[in-house]
Amino acid sequence: MPVNLPTNLLRSFVAIVDTGSMLNASEKVFVTQSALSLQIKRLEELLQQNLFHREGRRLSLTQAGELMLDYARKVLILHDEAVSAITAGHFSGPARIGMVQDFAETLLSGLLAQFAELHPDAQIYSRIAGTAELLAQLERRQLDIVLGFAAANDPNAIAYAAMEWYGKSDLLRQNVLPLAVLEPPCRFREAAIRTLEDAGVPYRITVETPNLTTLRAAVDAGLGITCRTHLFLSEEPLQIEHLAPLPRVSCVLQTASSLDPATARLAQLAREIVVAL
């Protein structure tokens, strides 16, 4: 009897090689590290060959592993082409989208709800984080679509927004300006601090948080002013005449090199909504 190699074992094997570690591969194929180890053990048992040299946590391919990697890639390409051809545009896998917190409130209730109507059988994975983290996950093939912020000259820009100051105007009369910011890395935090330091304005950070909702609550409570875009608050921004204008920021959309039709549609919907914000 011929040996049948399950495609999920082959996909896990390729993921380990491509990501360089069990940890990164487990995030890519959505299984735990222990389950991933068992999958590789099962694949080696089926082939009756060791695919990896194991030196502590370090893995390197054996000669059999090198040979198997080439065939595994070919099998997975043919498998995915077959699924795509047979489903003819029907949704066949999780659409993985990452976005910064500024977009989350609008897109989670609008974009993903609209997408779910178009593709009722869709599986959606959403990740809310900073732009740098999301782009790193896109590079590791853990996400399909990323919506984030970047410099105004970024080639992936789909829209632009002005950075503005937000908060209670009476805070501007304090000798030391109270500042509310997100944790680094954050380009809004960096822009605010750089602008204040360039103007020689004394400040102190009164609120530092990883969460945009907490930042908004702190600003509403008068605990500090902050630097964001018009997506942050519906109130009019502060006008601080003695400070240089804050830089513009671009809204960027980046996707994986290849998307199935449904995920490509999600990316298009995301583009349309962000451009209209």
Side-chain angles (χ1 to χ4, degrees), residues 9-277:
L9 303 187
L10 297 179
R11 204 175 297 278
S12 294
F13 170 60
V14 172
I16 293 171
V17 177
D18 287 345
T19 63
S21 73
M22 284 279 189
L23 174 60
N24 292 335
S26 68
E27 294 173 352
K28 182 177 179 180
V29 296
F30 303 106
V31 299
T32 64
Q33 289 188 63
S34 58
L36 192 62
S37 296
L38 290 174
Q39 287 183 338
I40 297 305
K41 182 179 180 181
R42 176 58 179 158
L43 182 58
E44 290 179 328
E45 288 174 350
L46 288 170
L47 293 169
Q48 297 185 0
Q49 296 283 342
N50 289 328
L51 300 176
F52 290 103
H53 293 296
R54 293 167 174 82
E55 300 173 8
R57 294 187 178 181
R58 184 174 176 274
L59 298 174
S60 59
L61 288 173
T62 63
Q63 186 175 358
E66 294 279 2
L67 181 61
M68 189 62 218
L69 178 63
D70 183 50
Y71 282 109
R73 292 192 192 281
K74 292 176 181 177
V75 169
L76 291 173
I77 289 172
L78 287 173
H79 172 274
D80 294 345
E81 285 180 358
V83 171
S84 179
I86 297 301
T87 56
H90 293 289
F91 194 86
S92 58
R96 304 168 301 175
I97 182 168
M99 62 191 79
V100 293
Q101 295 180 67
D102 302 69
F103 296 141
E105 292 176 4
T106 300
L107 299 187
L108 288 177
S109 60
L111 169 67
L112 299 188
Q114 186 178 356
F115 180 72
E117 282 187 20
L118 292 171
H119 301 277
D121 297 328
Q123 301 174 32
I124 301 173
Y125 169 78
S126 303
R127 170 69 177 163
I128 313 301
T131 303
E133 179 182 337
L134 295 175
L135 291 176
Q137 291 192 339
L138 180 68
E139 186 175 350
R140 295 196 299 266
R141 303 180 186 178
Q142 296 169 342
L143 290 172
D144 302 307
I145 305 165
V146 166
L147 289 163
F149 287 123
N153 61 352
D154 193 282
N156 297 295
I158 58 173
Y160 301 90
M163 289 188 187
E164 305 279 5
W165 294 104
Y166 291 91
K168 305 296 184 183
S169 59
D170 57 351
L171 296 179
L172 301 178
R173 295 192 291 270
Q174 296 192 16
N175 293 330
V176 179
L177 189 66
L179 193 62
V181 292
L182 292 184
E183 292 178 348
C186 172
R187 68 177 55 251
F188 296 95
R189 173 198 180 106
E190 294 168 1
I193 290 175
R194 183 169 58 249
T195 299
L196 293 175
E197 290 181 345
D198 287 349
V201 175
Y203 69 90
R204 63 189 177 93
I205 294 177
T206 55
V207 177
E208 183 179 55
T209 173
N211 186 279
L212 193 66
T213 301
T214 304
L215 181 68
R216 187 181 290 112
V219 172
D220 281 339
L223 300 181
I225 70 167
T226 197
C227 162
R228 303 300 298 180
T229 71
H230 67 284
L231 300 174
F232 180 69
L233 281 177
S234 58
E235 299 174 6
E236 287 295 312
L238 296 171
Q239 301 299 322
I240 309 179
E241 296 180 357
H242 61 282
L243 292 181
L246 291 160
R248 286 202 312 165
V249 66
S250 68
C251 306
V252 296
L253 184 148
Q254 291 187 235
T255 67
S257 56
S258 62
L259 301 176
D260 62 57
T263 307
R265 178 58 176 149
L266 178 60
Q268 181 59 35
L269 288 172
R271 176 185 293 272
E272 293 171 0
I273 291 176
V274 170
V275 168
L277 288 177

